[in-house]
Amino acid sequence: MPEHTITLFLKDNNKISKAIKVSNDTSYDELLKIASSKFRSKIFTILSNDGCIYDPQMIKSGLKLYCSTKIINGNQFIFVPEKTIPVNIVAVNSYICDESIKQLQSLQKLEDVTDIFGMPDLHVGKGCPIGAVTLTSKTIYPHLIGEDIGCGMLFLKTSLPEDLVGKKLTKIASHLDLEGPYNNTSLEFIDVTKFSNYENEKAFLDDVGNYFYNQLGTIGAGNHFLELQKIDKIFDANFAEQYGMQQDYLYLTIHSGSRGIGESVLNIFEKNHCSDDYKNGHSDALLWAKCNRRNIAKRFSEQVNGCHLEPIVDMFHNYYEEITVDRVQYTVHRKGASATNNELIIIPGSRGSKTYVVKPIKNDITHGFSVSHGAGRKIARTKMYDIINDASVDDKQIKIFGSEIENIVICEDHHLLYEEACCAYKDIDIVIDDLVKLGLVVVIASLSPVLTYKYRSAR
């Protein structure tokens, strides 16, 4: 063997298992043949001991030339066999755009990823699609959760009668205001001592500061909402009765998250790359999001003659959790997906279509321990501006407000009305039908909106 050699290592399942030495004048093609024979794999990611990843195309002209100009003799290379991680689309008839599938496929390159799933509501997101579930053996990837950590749904039974319509409902709509600081905020819904490094409520509030505290009890913009709903149909009377669901009353669904905290946690991680800080911040954001939804409900109750609210289910759909199956541990990242270890799951459509209450009947890795969190977007937000602006005056109103179900919509932000037009979303009935056909859920009830609160105005 010549004096100058390069050491090649095989790294599989995060362990160095084999090592071979080759001559420094070995061509790249010869090197691949040797590695393929010795390591029994045809495709590799190549790492050097300086931590760089080397693109095979950069050194296709010959390893010797590349080494003489870029790498010192005797450098070590780690060959990591590229395993093809299948992208599983958990859908039958739901519309899935090609770009969202490409985003899912890009996750195959992440180290330690074991499984990738796209739900029926899959659509394009920032970096990672929404409606996506990604499993790793231990690594946490914050961007696979996104900035709104803890975003989820709170579903409650109200004491308002099902036949609340006309002037009484209009009066509620005219007075309902969930913007700006909520003066009667309470942290009674959460145990502050569970927050990282906080001994009491005061220490927590002093740390998060007024910026975040002033957001507690507010819904936020985007696709977040509060919706008053009536039961359209009960499909499973036994389950409905078990959870106290009756057609005589109205129900409340609140979709909101951790507001500024989740974004702050992600920004700090991207700046410092400290996994422990992220884990602590993630826990804080989950509790804050849950508390935020409860305060929104409390705020609503106070403005609607103190109506009684009975929580039925509160669930997250932007977060990670660790699951162990047959002694194998998975880190499950969800970005717009609901866990099937919930007793009940709330799956809303657009603001002009039904919301479904379902019970998961299957909870395993074949679907990433998850199902859809909503209908999912069909048309991008930016595209909706063009579609509506190009419409005639009459058609514009139809595109913005046209829906299968008439209801009162509270939203003074015209841009948000464009973005959140009903036609921008997939058909929720098809999404639910997919989950039923795949044997993942049974439908307990469907609800129709009577009042949807999106965003009144900033104060």
Side-chain angles (χ1 to χ4, degrees):
M1 182 72 69
E3 180 180 353
H4 299 299
T5 61
I6 296 174
T7 305
L8 308 180
F9 293 96
L10 174 68
K11 183 180 181 183
D12 198 7
N13 293 326
N14 295 315
K15 295 180 179 179
I16 301 295
S17 57
K18 291 182 181 179
I20 58 173
K21 291 183 182 291
V22 299
S23 169
N24 189 53
D25 59 5
T26 303
S27 71
Y28 179 67
D29 287 337
E30 290 174 339
L31 184 147
L32 283 184
K33 288 180 181 179
I34 295 171
S36 296
S37 174
K38 296 290 186 181
F39 298 152
R40 297 182 181 180
S41 182
K42 294 182 178 180
I43 304 174
F44 300 96
T45 297
I46 304 177
L47 309 174
S48 78
N49 64 354
D50 61 5
C52 294
I53 297 177
Y54 290 93
D55 184 347
Q57 295 303 317
M58 292 175 60
I59 53 177
K60 190 86 174 182
S61 59
L63 187 63
K64 181 178 180 180
L65 175 63
Y66 189 79
C67 289
S68 63
T69 58
K70 297 287 185 181
I71 304 173
I72 301 173
N73 273 333
N75 206 345
Q76 300 172 348
F77 284 80
I78 300 174
F79 273 49
V80 185
E82 290 187 358
K83 298 178 181 178
T84 302
I85 307 299
V87 170
N88 305 283
I89 303 299
V90 187
V92 182
N93 296 316
S94 295
Y95 170 74
I96 308 289
C97 72
D98 291 340
E99 187 59 33
S100 63
I101 294 178
K102 288 179 182 178
Q103 283 194 319
L104 274 187
Q105 290 171 336
S106 70
L107 307 182
Q108 294 173 312
K109 300 178 182 179
L110 295 175
E111 188 175 355
D112 197 37
V113 169
T114 62
D115 301 88
I116 301 170
F117 300 89
M119 298 293 119
D121 56 341
L122 183 74
H123 59 283
V124 174
K126 183 180 178 181
C128 172
I130 300 164
V133 180
T134 311
L135 277 61
T136 65
S137 61
K138 61 179 180 180
T139 307
I140 298 171
Y141 289 104
H143 76 283
L144 301 184
I145 298 160
E147 60 187 22
D148 196 5
I149 303 167
C151 188
M153 304 278 182
L154 172 61
F155 181 61
L156 312 99
K157 180 181 179 180
T158 81
S159 59
L160 299 173
E162 181 268 342
D163 59 355
L164 182 70
V165 293
K167 291 183 180 180
K168 290 183 179 179
L169 187 61
T170 303
K171 184 178 180 181
I172 289 175
S174 64
H175 289 90
L176 194 60
D177 190 348
L178 305 175
E179 314 300 336
Y182 174 35
N183 296 326
N184 201 20
T185 298
S186 173
L187 295 186
E188 65 188 79
F189 310 108
I190 57 174
D191 181 358
V192 175
T193 60
K194 290 182 179 179
F195 282 72
S196 310
N197 305 317
Y198 303 120
E199 295 181 358
N200 53 52
E201 180 176 314
K202 183 178 183 305
F204 170 68
L205 294 179
D206 287 346
D207 191 29
V208 298
N210 289 331
Y211 175 72
F212 296 125
Y213 188 67
N214 287 341
Q215 292 190 6
L216 193 58
T218 62
I219 293 172
N223 64 347
H224 296 152
F225 64 84
L226 172 147
E227 191 164 88
L228 196 59
Q229 304 161 332
K230 64 179 180 180
I231 292 181
D232 177 66
K233 183 177 180 179
I234 291 179
F235 294 86
D236 193 310
N238 290 332
F239 277 139
E241 184 179 358
Q242 180 181 339
Y243 295 102
M245 296 184 64
Q246 301 170 266
Q247 288 188 298
D248 297 337
Y249 297 95
L250 294 179
Y251 292 79
L252 198 65
T253 296
I254 297 171
H255 175 207
S256 190
S258 56
R259 306 292 277 111
I261 284 189
E263 183 178 5
S264 175
V265 170
L266 181 60
N267 289 341
I268 290 172
F269 173 80
E270 290 177 344
K271 182 179 180 180
N272 301 328
H273 294 283
C274 178
S275 58
D276 286 340
D277 285 348
Y278 180 79
K279 289 178 182 178
N280 292 335
H282 176 272
S283 297
D284 292 354
L286 292 185
L287 289 169
W288 183 265
K290 190 171 185 177
C291 187
N292 184 45
R293 289 190 287 273
R294 297 298 177 106
N295 274 283
I296 293 170
K298 182 169 176 277
R299 195 172 191 176
F300 173 87
S301 174
E302 292 171 357
Q303 294 184 25
V304 186
N305 302 321
C307 78
H308 177 71
L309 298 175
E310 181 182 338
I312 297 176
V313 62
D314 193 351
M315 43 180 277
F316 302 114
H317 54 233
N318 285 4
Y319 73 117
Y320 81 85
E321 67 171 335
E322 294 179 346
I323 296 176
T324 301
V325 179
D326 296 330
R327 298 183 181 180
V328 178
Q329 181 174 302
Y330 299 97
T331 299
V332 182
H333 303 71
R334 295 187 179 94
K335 187 177 183 183
S338 300
T340 47
N341 59 7
N342 289 296
E343 286 190 10
L344 290 182
I345 295 175
I346 311 304
I347 307 180
S350 69
R351 58 173 166 78
S353 60
K354 297 176 185 177
T355 288
Y356 283 85
V357 180
V358 304
K359 185 175 181 64
I361 55 177
K362 190 177 182 181
N363 180 39
D364 61 37
I365 197 171
T366 60
H367 53 100
F369 311 97
S370 309
V371 292
S372 300
H373 82 306
R377 292 193 72 89
K378 181 172 61 177
I379 304 173
R381 293 180 181 277
T382 51
K383 184 67 174 177
M384 285 306 303
Y385 291 106
D386 297 333
I387 291 174
I388 294 176
N389 285 328
D390 289 344
S392 64
V393 175
D394 292 339
D395 192 33
K396 183 177 292 189
Q397 292 300 309
I398 292 174
K399 289 187 182 301
I400 295 174
F401 293 104
S403 63
E404 60 185 78
I405 303 167
E406 286 192 23
N407 66 311
I408 297 175
V409 177
I410 302 173
C411 182
E412 297 176 359
D413 185 333
H414 295 295
H415 290 291
L416 189 58
L417 281 174
Y418 282 24
E419 294 175 357
E420 292 294 297
C422 300
C423 61
Y425 283 83
K426 301 181 190 183
D427 188 327
I428 185 61
D429 292 331
I430 295 177
V431 168
I432 297 299
D433 189 52
D434 276 2
L435 297 177
V436 172
K437 283 180 177 177
L438 293 169
L440 303 181
V441 304
V442 292
V443 178
I444 295 177
S446 62
L447 301 101
S448 298
V450 297
L451 183 153
T452 304
Y453 187 103
K454 292 292 295 180
Y455 181 78
R456 189 174 285 282
S457 62
R459 288 196 284 109

